[in-house]
Amino acid sequence: MEECFEYIQCLFCVTGKERSVARALEEKEGVVALFPQKLKPFWKDDGWVEELRPLFPGYIFVYSHRPLPRSILNTESNVLRILSYDGAGKEDNLLERDRRFAQTLLRAGGVVGSLEAVEEDGFIRVNERALQALNARVLRADKRKRLVKLEMEIMGNTRSVWLAFHLVEKQIP
């Protein structure tokens, strides 16, 4: 059964320190903290291999059953700020699409894998459900590298990210 968290927040920390910040928050506060990652394909020797890379460098999602005071989240020295919808930092609990995206990440263990796609008339078309779950739209595709560039919105900020895709056979209705 999937655990449901009432509070989900997004932190921005020093790039490269995401894993240690997430671990420290989990140990000190008893929360679930995820450093979102993606599987990136690359050619090595005689075949394709995938390696984990940051999805959004510096971002951490924090899931809890209780509200966490800003002072607790800011105690970790590598946390730069708590992302919020307003400039004052009072509305920092994720809402609507951002919340659904964070829950999708949680179900996937924080890792965004290869997206399903089909090739139609020379164009790559990514599975619509995957795009909805990621709150994204396709900007372009690189068939040779097996990557698709998506534009994603998180907490009002638009980010571009390259994700892996794999081709599947098109289903005939």
Side-chain angles (χ1 to χ4, degrees):
M1 182 172 182
E2 181 180 318
E3 188 165 8
C4 202
F5 291 94
E6 188 174 349
Y7 301 93
I8 305 174
Q9 295 170 294
C10 186
L11 308 180
F12 186 66
C13 69
V14 174
T15 302
K17 299 294 184 182
E18 300 94 344
R19 192 176 319 280
S20 64
V21 169
R23 208 174 294 132
L25 286 169
E26 287 182 334
E27 289 172 6
K28 288 185 222 171
E29 301 303 325
V31 299
V32 173
L34 286 180
F35 160 41
Q37 298 177 82
K38 62 183 177 181
L39 286 173
K40 182 176 183 206
F42 63 95
W43 186 263
K44 184 176 181 181
D45 298 326
D46 59 346
W48 287 97
V49 293
E50 292 181 324
E51 145 180 312
L52 282 174
R53 296 279 177 92
L55 178 62
F56 300 124
Y59 283 63
I60 296 173
F61 291 89
V62 180
Y63 306 78
S64 68
H65 295 294
R66 60 184 165 72
L68 296 173
R70 296 181 75 74
S71 59
I72 288 175
L73 295 171
N74 281 326
T75 57
E76 178 60 40
S77 63
N78 290 311
V79 173
L80 300 174
R81 68 181 177 277
I82 302 162
L83 300 180
S84 66
Y85 293 103
D86 64 343
K90 294 180 188 210
E91 293 186 37
D92 57 8
N93 197 32
L94 296 186
L95 304 171
E96 301 166 10
R97 293 186 314 181
D98 294 333
R99 185 176 188 80
R100 285 191 301 275
F101 171 67
Q103 290 168 328
T104 299
L105 275 177
L106 181 63
R107 281 190 298 275
V111 176
V112 176
S114 182
L115 304 175
E116 287 186 356
V118 294
E119 187 170 0
E120 294 177 345
D121 302 322
F123 293 98
I124 301 298
R125 183 182 182 107
V126 176
N127 178 314
E128 287 295 321
R129 271 186 288 142
L131 291 177
Q132 288 173 349
L134 295 172
N135 191 25
R137 71 181 186 95
V138 177
L139 296 178
R140 61 186 273 220
D142 185 331
K143 289 190 268 187
R144 187 178 61 81
K145 292 183 179 178
R146 298 182 183 184
L147 295 172
V148 63
K149 185 176 187 179
L150 301 178
E151 182 177 79
M152 302 172 72
E153 186 178 319
I154 184 79
M155 296 197 74
N157 296 317
T158 303
R159 306 279 311 243
S160 293
V161 62
W162 286 94
L163 293 179
F165 72 85
H166 63 277
L167 293 174
V168 295
E169 299 256 341
K170 187 175 179 183
Q171 300 293 321
I172 300 173

Coordinates of all heavy atoms in Angstrom, one line a residue, residues 25-57:
L25 N 18.3 14.7 6.9 CA 16.9 15.0 7.3 C 16.2 13.8 7.7 O 15.4 13.8 8.6 CB 16.2 15.7 6.1 CG 16.6 17.2 5.9 CD1 16.0 17.7 4.5 CD2 16.1 18.1 7.0
E26 N 16.4 12.7 7.0 CA 15.7 11.4 7.3 C 16.2 11.0 8.7 O 15.3 10.5 9.5 CB 16.0 10.4 6.3 CG 15.3 10.6 5.0 CD 15.5 9.5 3.9 OE1 16.6 8.9 3.9 OE2 14.7 9.3 3.1
E27 N 17.5 11.0 9.0 CA 18.0 10.6 10.3 C 17.5 11.5 11.4 O 17.1 11.0 12.5 CB 19.5 10.5 10.2 CG 20.0 9.4 9.4 CD 21.5 9.4 9.2 OE1 22.2 10.3 9.8 OE2 22.1 8.6 8.4
K28 N 17.6 12.8 11.2 CA 17.3 13.7 12.3 C 15.8 13.9 12.6 O 15.4 14.0 13.7 CB 17.9 15.1 12.0 CG 19.4 15.2 12.2 CD 19.8 16.6 12.0 CE 21.0 16.7 11.2 NZ 21.4 18.1 10.8
E29 N 15.0 14.0 11.5 CA 13.6 14.3 11.6 C 12.6 13.2 11.3 O 11.4 13.4 11.5 CB 13.3 15.5 10.6 CG 14.2 16.7 10.8 CD 14.0 17.3 12.3 OE1 12.9 17.2 12.8 OE2 15.0 17.8 12.8
G30 N 13.1 12.0 10.9 CA 12.2 10.9 10.7 C 11.3 11.1 9.5 O 10.1 10.6 9.5
V31 N 11.7 11.9 8.5 CA 10.9 12.1 7.3 C 11.4 11.3 6.2 O 12.5 10.6 6.3 CB 10.9 13.6 6.9 CG1 10.4 14.5 8.0 CG2 12.4 14.1 6.6
V32 N 10.8 11.3 5.0 CA 11.3 10.7 3.8 C 11.8 11.9 3.0 O 11.1 12.9 2.7 CB 10.2 9.9 3.1 CG1 10.7 9.5 1.7 CG2 9.7 8.8 3.9
A33 N 13.0 11.8 2.5 CA 13.6 12.9 1.7 C 14.2 12.2 0.5 O 15.0 11.3 0.5 CB 14.7 13.6 2.5
L34 N 13.8 12.7 -0.7 CA 14.3 12.2 -2.0 C 15.1 13.2 -2.8 O 14.7 14.3 -2.9 CB 13.1 11.8 -2.8 CG 12.3 10.5 -2.5 CD1 11.2 10.3 -3.5 CD2 13.2 9.3 -2.4
F35 N 16.1 12.7 -3.3 CA 17.0 13.4 -4.3 C 16.6 12.9 -5.6 O 17.0 11.8 -6.0 CB 18.4 13.2 -3.9 CG 19.4 13.5 -5.0 CD1 19.3 14.6 -5.8 CD2 20.5 12.7 -5.2 CE1 20.2 14.9 -6.8 CE2 21.4 13.0 -6.1 CZ 21.3 14.1 -7.0
P36 N 15.8 13.6 -6.4 CA 15.3 13.0 -7.7 C 16.4 12.8 -8.7 O 17.3 13.6 -8.9 CB 14.3 14.0 -8.2 CG 14.3 15.1 -7.3 CD 15.2 14.9 -6.2
Q37 N 16.4 11.6 -9.3 CA 17.5 11.2 -10.3 C 16.8 10.7 -11.5 O 15.6 10.3 -11.5 CB 18.4 10.2 -9.7 CG 19.1 10.7 -8.4 CD 20.0 9.7 -7.8 OE1 21.1 9.4 -8.3 NE2 19.5 9.0 -6.8
K38 N 17.6 10.6 -12.6 CA 17.1 10.1 -13.9 C 18.2 9.0 -14.4 O 19.3 9.1 -14.0 CB 16.9 11.2 -14.9 CG 18.2 11.9 -15.2 CD 18.0 13.0 -16.2 CE 19.3 13.8 -16.5 NZ 19.2 14.9 -17.4
L39 N 17.7 8.1 -15.1 CA 18.6 7.2 -15.8 C 19.0 7.8 -17.1 O 18.1 8.1 -18.0 CB 17.9 5.8 -16.0 CG 17.7 5.0 -14.8 CD1 16.9 3.7 -15.1 CD2 19.1 4.5 -14.2
K40 N 20.3 7.9 -17.3 CA 20.8 8.5 -18.6 C 21.5 7.4 -19.4 O 22.5 6.9 -18.9 CB 21.7 9.7 -18.3 CG 22.2 10.3 -19.6 CD 23.0 11.5 -19.4 CE 23.3 12.1 -20.8 NZ 24.5 12.8 -20.9
P41 N 21.1 7.2 -20.6 CA 21.8 6.2 -21.4 C 23.0 6.8 -22.1 O 23.1 7.9 -22.4 CB 20.7 5.8 -22.5 CG 19.9 7.1 -22.6 CD 19.9 7.7 -21.3
F42 N 24.0 5.9 -22.2 CA 25.2 6.3 -23.0 C 25.8 5.0 -23.6 O 25.7 3.9 -23.1 CB 26.2 7.2 -22.2 CG 26.8 6.5 -21.1 CD1 28.1 5.9 -21.2 CD2 26.2 6.5 -19.8 CE1 28.6 5.3 -20.1 CE2 26.8 5.8 -18.8 CZ 28.0 5.2 -18.9
W43 N 26.6 5.2 -24.7 CA 27.2 4.1 -25.4 C 28.5 3.8 -24.7 O 29.4 4.7 -24.6 CB 27.4 4.4 -26.8 CG 27.9 3.2 -27.6 CD1 29.2 3.0 -28.0 CD2 27.1 2.2 -28.2 NE1 29.3 1.8 -28.7 CE2 28.0 1.3 -28.8 CE3 25.8 1.9 -28.1 CZ2 27.6 0.1 -29.4 CZ3 25.3 0.7 -28.8 CH2 26.2 -0.1 -29.4
K44 N 28.8 2.6 -24.3 CA 30.0 2.2 -23.7 C 30.5 0.9 -24.3 O 29.8 -0.1 -24.2 CB 29.9 2.1 -22.2 CG 31.2 1.8 -21.5 CD 31.0 1.7 -20.0 CE 32.3 1.5 -19.3 NZ 32.2 1.4 -17.9
D45 N 31.7 0.9 -24.8 CA 32.3 -0.3 -25.5 C 31.4 -0.9 -26.5 O 31.4 -0.5 -27.7 CB 32.7 -1.3 -24.4 CG 33.8 -0.7 -23.5 OD1 34.6 0.1 -23.9 OD2 33.8 -1.1 -22.3
D46 N 30.6 -1.8 -26.2 CA 29.8 -2.5 -27.2 C 28.3 -2.5 -26.9 O 27.6 -3.4 -27.4 CB 30.3 -4.0 -27.3 CG 30.2 -4.7 -25.9 OD1 30.0 -4.1 -24.9 OD2 30.3 -6.0 -26.0
G47 N 27.8 -1.5 -26.1 CA 26.4 -1.5 -25.9 C 25.9 -0.3 -25.1 O 26.8 0.4 -24.5
W48 N 24.7 -0.1 -25.0 CA 24.1 1.0 -24.2 C 24.1 0.6 -22.7 O 23.7 -0.6 -22.4 CB 22.6 1.2 -24.7 CG 22.6 1.9 -26.0 CD1 22.4 1.3 -27.2 CD2 22.7 3.3 -26.2 NE1 22.4 2.3 -28.2 CE2 22.6 3.5 -27.6 CE3 22.9 4.4 -25.4 CZ2 22.6 4.8 -28.2 CZ3 23.0 5.7 -26.0 CH2 22.9 5.8 -27.4
V49 N 24.4 1.5 -21.9 CA 24.3 1.4 -20.4 C 23.6 2.6 -19.9 O 23.6 3.6 -20.6 CB 25.7 1.2 -19.8 CG1 26.3 -0.1 -20.2 CG2 26.6 2.3 -20.1
E50 N 23.1 2.5 -18.7 CA 22.4 3.6 -18.1 C 23.1 3.9 -16.8 O 23.5 3.0 -16.1 CB 20.9 3.3 -17.9 CG 20.1 3.2 -19.1 CD 18.6 2.9 -18.8 OE1 18.3 2.1 -17.9 OE2 17.8 3.4 -19.6
E51 N 23.1 5.2 -16.5 CA 23.7 5.6 -15.2 C 22.8 6.7 -14.6 O 22.2 7.4 -15.3 CB 25.1 6.2 -15.6 CG 25.6 7.3 -14.9 CD 27.0 7.7 -15.4 OE1 27.9 6.8 -15.6 OE2 27.2 8.9 -15.6
L52 N 22.8 6.7 -13.2 CA 22.0 7.6 -12.5 C 22.6 9.0 -12.5 O 23.8 9.1 -12.2 CB 21.8 7.2 -11.1 CG 20.7 6.1 -10.9 CD1 20.7 5.6 -9.4 CD2 19.3 6.5 -11.3
R53 N 21.8 10.0 -12.8 CA 22.3 11.4 -12.8 C 21.2 12.2 -12.1 O 20.0 11.8 -12.1 CB 22.4 11.9 -14.2 CG 23.5 11.3 -15.0 CD 24.9 11.8 -14.7 NE 26.0 11.2 -15.3 CZ 26.5 11.6 -16.5 NH1 26.0 12.6 -17.1 NH2 27.5 10.9 -17.0
P54 N 21.5 13.4 -11.6 CA 20.5 14.3 -11.0 C 19.4 14.7 -12.0 O 19.7 15.0 -13.1 CB 21.3 15.5 -10.5 CG 22.7 15.1 -10.5 CD 22.8 14.0 -11.5
L55 N 18.2 14.6 -11.6 CA 17.1 15.1 -12.4 C 17.0 16.6 -12.4 O 17.1 17.3 -13.4 CB 15.7 14.5 -11.9 CG 14.5 15.0 -12.7 CD1 14.5 14.5 -14.1 CD2 13.2 14.4 -12.0
F56 N 17.0 17.2 -11.2 CA 17.1 18.6 -11.0 C 18.2 18.8 -10.0 O 18.0 18.7 -8.8 CB 15.8 19.2 -10.4 CG 14.6 18.9 -11.2 CD1 13.5 18.3 -10.6 CD2 14.5 19.4 -12.5 CE1 12.3 18.1 -11.4 CE2 13.3 19.2 -13.2 CZ 12.2 18.5 -12.7
P57 N 19.4 19.2 -10.4 CA 20.5 19.4 -9.5 C 20.1 20.4 -8.4 O 19.6 21.5 -8.7 CB 21.6 19.9 -10.4 CG 21.3 19.4 -11.7 CD 19.8 19.4 -11.8

